Amino acid sequence: MYRTKTCGELRLENAGQEVVLAGWVQRSRKMGGMTFIDLRDRYGITQLVFNEKVDVELCQKANKIGREYVIQIKGTVQERESKNAKMPTGDIEIIVQELNVLNASDVPPFTIEDNTDGGDDLRMKYRYLDLRRSCVRANLELRHRFCLAVRHFLDSKGFLEIETPVLVGSTPEGARDFIVPSRMNPGMFYALPQSPQTLKQLLMVAGMDRYFQIVKCFRDEDLRADRQPEFTQIDCEMSFVEQDDIIRLFEEMAKYLFKEIRGYDLGEAPFLRLPWSEAMRRFGSDKPDMRFGMEFVELMDVLKGTGSFGVFNEAAYIGGICAKGCAHYTRKQLDELTNFVKSSQIGAKGLVYARIQDDGSVKSSVDKFYTPEVLQQLKQTMQAEPGDLILIISGPDAMKARKQLCELRLEMGSRLGLRDKNKFALLWVVDFPMFEWSDEEQRLMAMHHPFTAPKPEDVPLLDTDPAQVKANAYDMVCNGVEVGGGSIRIHDAELQAKIFKVLGFTPERAQEQFGFLMNAFKYGAPPHGGLAYGLDRWVSLFAGLDSIRDCIAFPKNNSGRDVMLDAPSRVDQKQLDELYLSLVDPDKGK
Amino acid sequence: MYRTKTCGELRLENAGQEVVLAGWVQRSRKMGGMTFIDLRDRYGITQLVFNEKVDVELCQKANKIGREYVIQIKGTVQERESKNAKMPTGDIEIIVQELNVLNASDVPPFTIEDNTDGGDDLRMKYRYLDLRRSCVRANLELRHRFCLAVRHFLDSKGFLEIETPVLVGSTPEGARDFIVPSRMNPGMFYALPQSPQTLKQLLMVAGMDRYFQIVKCFRDEDLRADRQPEFTQIDCEMSFVEQDDIIRLFEEMAKYLFKEIRGYDLGEAPFLRLPWSEAMRRFGSDKPDMRFGMEFVELMDVLKGTGSFGVFNEAAYIGGICAKGCAHYTRKQLDELTNFVKSSQIGAKGLVYARIQDDGSVKSSVDKFYTPEVLQQLKQTMQAEPGDLILIISGPDAMKARKQLCELRLEMGSRLGLRDKNKFALLWVVDFPMFEWSDEEQRLMAMHHPFTAPKPEDVPLLDTDPAQVKANAYDMVCNGVEVGGGSIRIHDAELQAKIFKVLGFTPERAQEQFGFLMNAFKYGAPPHGGLAYGLDRWVSLFAGLDSIRDCIAFPKNNSGRDVMLDAPSRVDQKQLDELYLSLVDPDKGK
């Protein structure tokens, strides 16, 4: 062992002890005849002292050492004269007797400090240096503890962690698969799993009763801001359960994790269970941020047909939110908000506002179209008070307008400081629709996935009005983020076949793609259900991060590249030949 | 919840309680006016009783239920008249009041019993039924507990579990990679990692100090008996350590796991550390089975040139083992052994034997070539006693002859019952050579991998006689199986460059393939080392299994196929088009 102690553990009571430490040079400074070096390892920082008067040669050697050199020292722990209360080791320093350079270092391309001068691209290229920063390392430590706690909890509830294969079959339903050519089976391909959904259902058919896995999943999607081509799921499944059993168990797990890992008490009360339709009506979102109110108020009765504002009169939806105490917003601030909702990501046509003046009168951007009585009615319906600002969105497509108003609500929440990263609001969104219409595919698509069980009372609607069928599906939402979701699954081969039919599968295609599952259902499939959490997202929430990237050791960029490894890359022709593959020139035939 | 209790937990003290159970019908039998059903779930089996006299309709319903039906019952726990001491629930039975068929089952293609009538292929196709057998399920339960214990131990030693990416770059050194075409980067490919070797080294450069991961790895090799294209590693790495630190820590882990998971005490004493050259000399193997002795005795001095047996006189190696008490072996038995060593897998030219008779005389298959004095000398050198059988292998290639003798030793160990699956003999094999000559590639290859550190005292030999260089590498061996292996790594960019040179890399190719690692070494790489365990193998050993397949939920067959999922398979042309790939007809151009 190159050390007897780490750089994080020495305290006043160790004074007088001889120790050997090893680590990286965080910084070094000369003061008079003394040289001070801060030595860093994963566990902390300890101050080293070299004294010219005591050993001039050693001190000169120390002076030659640069940042990020790896050194080993032998010395004696001594009480510091000027203590540093900000460091756990701030009461002591090491009087160095021996110094050994274990490895030199070039000057790093950015500073290894929490507030580094390195930009995103540089830090990703030199991720091994970025990870030396304690703020980044802390995220990985949190992730480690989080996973351990998940495993501890689920084990205590009788769950078995069972590994499912990474090389599986391709199932075109859902997102795009990554595929892997098989050398031993020329012309054939494995796929990397988008989730172990069907495999965990087979484990239930196999009688495993309670399964979980912390498992890598893969989706070949065009990467939006916070997506990774490979991501990690906490995947769970249980047999002989109903929706309520699953919700109660995973609510208990959430409370346990917040307490254990974050020291945060979510209280005794069960989480709110909000039906999907209500979530859309009140927040315009299936993952509402419940840290603050500012709920939607529908204004169709108040503003449609009650004045001469054509936009409202033609709207399928008019809704408003009340921003408390924002009546003082300037023209510039209101323009910012208007531009925000009109941006291409959000796509609203415009924003109507109404200030409640100190005297109770209403000053609105649509004054000229409405009588003061209508505006007073607006104030009342919105339950607005003097000093408040009413913000209104409308549109010809109710769902789209709601989503735009949702974005505005979140923006106002942020502006008003209502989205505190140290506050957590959890809820379940339940009663999702089974299907949603896809304009692209011109057919109904499964809203969760094709194995989701419809609500038993809605099964007859599958024949008559499938779009109205609700599912036994549920999402766990925290601070506006969907951290997990699941459903009761179909365990009946006949019902499963009917769902595939609604989704536009021919019986042959259903058999070809999911025959293994429907066959399995013939041999005594138990009632079962489960859910899956996005580990990266959940850890990010716990860590108070804006992006999942910061809790992943080696993330990929928006083009799916690992810039540190320089992957993906070209391969030898020999490798392609062995796989009976040839490349097609992307520019040809265009 | 579909049940109030599981099928494994009811005992005499529950008598009189009303319970709801759910599970699978293991078997059912009629006796007089009674129907008995054994109801099974993951936790056990409970006997259900239906009485015609009490409820004839219910009893008729029960009589219609077949094997593997999923049912739910409500009933009352009652003490059994004839108890079954072999079952944990054997003291009680359930008098059923309500019966609910949750799912029917076709007749399964094989019996769901420990001694099933299903062949290998059938069981793999219906793996979800195979997994219902308690002997198979027990292996997955063991694997779960094993992994939890590994995580618990390593966490207690300050290791962080850190996920490394599955989509990495291809590195042609080593085995063949599985590659994954990148749609967003046409013509480029990710590779699936053969191990996270370089990534974990980067984590050491990143200052993570102690890393581990239980992680899937991938190798596109032609599958021998006990290989899988995807397998699981317990991957570990530590900074600021020497070989001895790593060996001591992982020895402690092995002892902990055996105690915790297997209830087996490996004792206080450190494991034997056997130099590679000694392992080869004494056992002809770098993974000797130390459950029994029967060590090799070299017989060159005794038998080469001391008689007229040409085979021995021309041999580069002559070695024997002494099989205690086997002098009575019949002609047929000896022929079997001869055929065994001459089989194509082993490839010896022949087998020489010598029986020690009751009177101390030696009766050998090469009697006519040697004087009785030489044969007595043989007896003495072998330390053989009356009743013993000496078995001798020789050959022109010492290493090959040793390996043949090794196979013979293992065969004799098995025949003599010396390889008890409930006995465990662990050791370290150390001081491996750095390189081995590859006839195929006509160059030196890394015996472990190119990042292994040579022994410091051997570094000068890199320039003069690299084949003689020993490595700071070590394998943990249990019962003749290599369960894990590792090394101290190179942390110096210059030494790493020199090793690449010995391995025949041009500086350009080394830079192209491993530039990211050599660059990282410029920024203060700490001394580090680690090891990796084959989880599948280790769990198999703990479970007493002959094949790793039986501790994997969904294994692949020898052609790399998952016969249950029917993967790999053909994919849509659309998928290939998106990847700018086309298939080459394997029959063309041949």
Side-chain angles (χ1 to χ4, degrees), chain A residues 412-420:
Chain A
M412 288 309 298
S414 295
R415 283 176 180 244
L416 294 172
L418 302 172
R419 303 178 73 190
D420 180 353

Side-chain angles (χ1 to χ4, degrees), chain A residues 132 163 190 232 245 523 560, chain B residues 1 132 163 190 232 523 560:
Chain A
R132 285 187 191 165
E163 289 177 63
Y190 302 99
T232 306
D245 302 311
Y523 294 100
Chain B
M1 194 67 99
R132 286 187 191 164
E163 290 177 61
Y190 302 100
T232 307
Y523 294 100

Side-chain angles (χ1 to χ4, degrees), chain A residues 119-257:
Chain A
D120 243 31
D121 292 349
L122 203 59
R123 290 194 296 106
M124 285 303 140
K125 185 165 154 61
Y126 296 90
R127 182 65 165 171
Y128 45 85
L129 297 179
D130 194 33
L131 290 174
R132 285 187 191 165
R133 301 190 303 129
S134 60
C135 58
V136 184
R137 191 189 61 236
N139 299 333
L140 298 187
E141 287 170 343
L142 173 73
R143 188 179 178 114
H144 165 72
R145 283 186 292 118
F146 189 96
C147 289
L148 269 189
V150 167
R151 289 189 161 101
H152 174 77
F153 179 87
L154 290 175
D155 176 63
S156 79
K157 298 292 182 185
F159 285 76
L160 298 176
E161 184 161 25
I162 300 175
E163 289 177 63
T164 53
V166 176
L167 298 171
V168 298
S170 185
T171 54
E173 183 73 351
R176 202 184 284 107
D177 285 322
F178 281 104
I179 59 174
V180 184
S182 165
R183 181 181 54 87
M184 293 173 84
N185 303 273
M188 297 196 176
F189 295 80
Y190 302 99
L192 304 180
Q194 296 180 30
S195 93
Q197 181 62 36
T198 51
L199 289 159
K200 70 178 173 177
Q201 293 192 246
L202 290 173
L203 287 173
M204 294 302 103
V205 176
M208 290 299 153
D209 206 75
R210 295 184 165 202
Y211 143 93
F212 84 102
Q213 191 181 187
I214 300 184
V215 59
K216 275 280 172 74
C217 300
F218 306 86
R219 271 176 216 175
D220 185 11
E221 291 175 340
D222 295 321
L223 301 174
R224 279 180 280 154
D226 214 21
R227 294 260 180 144
Q228 288 279 313
E230 55 179 296
F231 55 98
T232 306
Q233 256 181 220
I234 306 170
D235 194 46
C236 309
E237 198 79 3
M238 306 167 77
S239 289
F240 301 114
V241 288
E242 285 151 341
Q243 174 166 314
D244 191 53
D245 302 311
I246 297 175
I247 284 186
R248 271 187 293 120
L249 190 135
F250 287 96
E251 201 165 300
E252 189 184 337
M253 182 166 97
K255 289 177 179 178
Y256 171 79
L257 291 172

Side-chain angles (χ1 to χ4, degrees), chain A residues 14-86:
Chain A
N14 301 104
Q17 290 178 9
E18 186 168 86
V19 295
V20 181
L21 300 181
W24 287 262
V25 173
Q26 179 72 27
R27 65 185 71 81
S28 114
R29 57 198 182 282
K30 285 182 69 168
M31 280 175 70
M34 315 275 273
T35 297
F36 296 91
I37 288 183
D38 282 352
L39 190 66
R40 184 196 70 233
D41 65 13
R42 189 183 111 199
Y43 311 96
I45 287 181
T46 297
Q47 178 167 292
L48 312 178
V49 184
F50 301 81
N51 193 334
E52 227 174 60
K53 283 180 197 153
V54 177
D55 188 337
V56 67
E57 210 175 311
L58 187 70
C59 206
Q60 279 167 351
K61 196 174 169 188
N63 288 338
K64 282 184 197 139
I65 289 173
R67 277 200 292 132
E68 300 306 317
Y69 272 50
V70 184
I71 64 172
Q72 178 190 44
I73 60 99
K74 186 190 264 188
T76 309
V77 183
Q78 172 179 279
E79 182 171 0
R80 273 206 219 181
E81 271 189 38
S82 56
K83 300 192 172 52
N84 182 344
K86 286 182 196 157

